[in-house]
């Protein structure tokens, strides 16, 4: 293992200056794993074939029925019960008297798969034919125990999916289904007839005589995994950029002083006929290029011809 770690340390983790660079991430939990790659379908198949050969060499078999190659732009990937997809979220931001639409089509979204959860609730008899139903297996328990059991199911789902982007929708849906199921079970146990009579007798939170109440969830996602302190955030507060972390040099003058990424909105905005920097971006087929602070200023002042180089 030490030998492999030493070999790995000789290679740079990120090299955007290399035209052959491909982003690839590997995550494993027990016997579940996922590989993310920004590349073509053929490259994904080649990587899967290499993984299969490696697993075969150590006596393991990759299950074809559980292995899937997908493009998250169109088809979400499922890993550890969580859907991973490309964001198509739209938000409105008010600026003065106007409201502007903002789109975030690049970031990843982690969502709780509501269809799978719905199927699981049906299998465990919390739902029948798409509607909430009493779980008669718990009918012999007293009022307090029934409330505790339903709360444990609700808390379990919400704790597991506390990091997801659709947490609010999940919390609303689960509370609605499980609370109705609990009310129907209590109506059956105490022969109250309907849910309306149950709510009238025990209140909106189905409070037991000993004070046990149905759990009231929060509908706001915690995003705990996003707010943990890390060295990258601390370094960014010191006016360092991603390009600095990647040890890049200016593509125009080869300087390593205060290198930053120059971004464009679309490739059609480039004009490679009159701009050397645009030619570099077209050649690399990327919408950003590392430039030092001096070249950045000259680029934005439209005086880059001073730094223009012959090809």
């Amino acid at each position: 293992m030490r030998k492999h770690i030493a070999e790995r340390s000789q290679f740079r983790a990120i090299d955007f200056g290399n035209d052959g660079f491909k982003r690839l991430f590997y995550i494993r939990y027990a016997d579940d794993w996922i590989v993310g790659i920004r590349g073509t379908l053929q490259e994904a198949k080649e990587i899967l074939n290499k993984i299969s050969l490696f697993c075969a060499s150590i006596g393991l078999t990759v299950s074809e029925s559980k292995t899937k190659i997908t493009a998250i732009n169109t088809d979400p990937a499922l890993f550890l019960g969580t859907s991973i997809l490309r964001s198509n979220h739209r938000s409105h931001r008010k600026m003065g008297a106007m409201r502007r639409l903002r789109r975030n089509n690049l970031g990843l979204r982690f969502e709780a798969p509501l269809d799978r959860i719905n199927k699981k609730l049906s299998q465990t008899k919390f739902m029948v034919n798409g509607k909430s139903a009493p779980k008669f297996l718990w009918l012999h328990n007293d009022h307090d125990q029934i409330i505790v059991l339903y709360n444990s199911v609700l808390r379990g789902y919400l704790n597991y999916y506390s990091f997801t982007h659709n947490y609010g929708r999940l919390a609303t849906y689960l509370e609605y289904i499980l609370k109705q199921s609990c009310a129907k079970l209590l109506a059956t146990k105490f022969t109250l007839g309907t849910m309306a009579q149950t709510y009238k007798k025990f209140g909106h939170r189905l409070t037991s005589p000993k004070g046990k109440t149905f759990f009231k969830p929060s509908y706001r996602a915690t995003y705990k995994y996003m707010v943990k302190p890390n060295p990258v955030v601390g370094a960014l507060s010191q006016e360092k950029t991603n390009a600095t972390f990647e040890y890049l040099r200016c593509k125009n003058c080869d300087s390593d002083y205060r290198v930053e990424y120059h971004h464009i909105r679309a490739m059609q905005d480039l004009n490679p006929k009159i701009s050397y920097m645009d030619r570099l971006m077209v050649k690399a087929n990327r919408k950003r290029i590392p430039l030092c602070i001096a070249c950045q200023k000259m680029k934005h002042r439209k005086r880059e011809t001073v730094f223009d180089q012959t090809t």
Side-chain angles (χ1 to χ4, degrees):
M1 180 60 69
R2 292 182 179 179
K3 179 181 177 181
H4 294 306
I5 294 176
E7 292 178 355
R8 185 183 63 180
S9 63
Q10 298 177 2
F11 298 93
R12 293 172 58 179
I14 300 176
D15 187 7
F16 291 112
N18 185 358
D19 294 338
F21 169 73
K22 298 291 183 181
R23 286 187 178 181
L24 187 146
F25 295 93
Y26 165 73
I27 300 174
R28 181 180 68 87
Y29 180 82
D31 60 344
D32 293 325
W33 52 269
I34 185 172
V35 174
I37 178 175
R38 176 170 289 182
T40 63
L41 175 62
Q42 183 60 34
E43 291 171 338
K45 291 181 178 179
E46 292 176 358
I47 292 174
L48 177 59
N49 184 48
K50 292 180 180 179
I51 293 175
S52 300
L53 293 176
F54 172 77
C55 291
S57 66
I58 58 176
L60 299 177
T61 303
V62 176
S63 174
E64 295 184 1
S65 60
K66 297 181 180 180
T67 305
K68 177 182 179 182
I69 297 178
T70 181
I72 59 174
N73 291 341
T74 56
D75 187 14
L78 187 68
F79 182 60
L80 298 179
T82 304
S83 294
I84 306 173
L85 63 154
R86 184 70 70 185
S87 174
N88 193 24
H89 180 68
R90 298 181 179 183
S91 61
H92 292 271
R93 182 179 181 183
K94 189 173 183 180
M95 301 181 65
M98 300 181 61
R99 290 172 61 88
R100 294 188 178 182
L101 178 65
R102 299 179 62 190
R103 291 181 174 87
N104 180 17
N105 296 330
L106 298 178
L108 292 179
R109 282 182 64 85
F110 302 93
E111 295 188 353
L114 297 181
D115 54 341
R116 289 172 58 90
I117 294 175
N118 185 51
K119 184 178 180 180
K120 186 67 175 179
L121 292 175
S122 298
Q123 292 175 349
T124 51
K125 305 303 180 182
F126 289 105
M127 297 179 65
V128 175
N129 297 327
K131 296 182 180 180
S132 60
K135 190 173 179 63
F136 291 112
L137 184 64
W138 295 345
L139 186 62
H140 67 281
N141 295 299
D142 60 30
H143 193 156
D144 288 335
Q145 292 173 333
I146 291 175
I147 294 295
V148 170
L149 289 171
Y150 273 97
N151 284 345
S152 65
V153 175
L154 179 58
R155 289 176 185 269
Y157 275 108
L158 296 182
N159 286 337
Y160 186 83
Y161 290 108
S162 61
F163 63 93
T164 54
H165 290 84
N166 63 338
Y167 176 84
R169 183 180 178 187
L170 172 69
T172 304
Y173 177 74
L174 287 176
E175 182 190 18
Y176 174 77
I177 295 297
L178 295 177
K179 187 178 176 183
Q180 279 198 352
S181 175
C182 182
K184 291 178 180 179
L185 184 62
L186 292 176
T188 303
K189 183 176 182 63
F190 297 105
T191 61
L192 298 175
T194 63
M195 286 193 300
Q197 293 297 325
T198 305
Y199 288 125
K200 183 177 180 180
K201 180 177 179 63
F202 299 114
H204 183 63
R205 307 311 303 177
L206 303 176
T207 307
S208 70
K210 295 183 180 180
K212 294 289 184 181
T213 60
F214 195 88
F215 176 63
K216 174 67 175 177
S218 171
Y219 306 114
R220 180 175 296 181
T222 59
Y223 300 119
K224 292 180 180 179
Y225 72 103
M226 293 185 177
V227 298
K228 290 183 178 179
N230 60 75
V232 176
V233 175
L236 288 176
S237 64
Q238 302 174 8
E239 299 183 354
K240 294 185 179 180
T241 66
N242 288 338
T244 304
F245 291 124
E246 295 155 10
Y247 305 104
L248 297 182
R249 305 181 72 89
C250 177
K251 284 292 186 180
N252 191 59
C253 65
D254 201 38
S255 172
D256 60 352
Y257 175 69
R258 294 189 64 182
V259 179
E260 300 176 358
Y261 275 118
H262 170 71
H263 297 261
I264 61 170
R265 292 185 178 180
M267 294 295 291
Q268 55 263 33
D269 295 337
L270 299 174
N271 192 346
K273 294 183 178 180
I274 63 174
S275 171
Y276 172 72
M277 297 183 193
D278 288 0
R279 287 199 295 272
L280 292 176
M281 299 175 75
V282 170
K283 183 178 179 180
N285 194 26
R286 295 188 180 275
K287 294 192 291 185
R288 64 178 186 175
I289 185 174
L291 297 175
C292 67
I293 187 64
C295 294
Q296 283 269 9
K297 291 181 179 180
M298 298 302 294
K299 175 68 176 176
H300 289 292
R301 291 174 185 171
K302 299 181 180 180
R303 292 171 54 189
E304 59 172 306
T305 52
V306 177
F307 292 85
D308 201 1
Q309 302 177 10
T310 58
T311 56

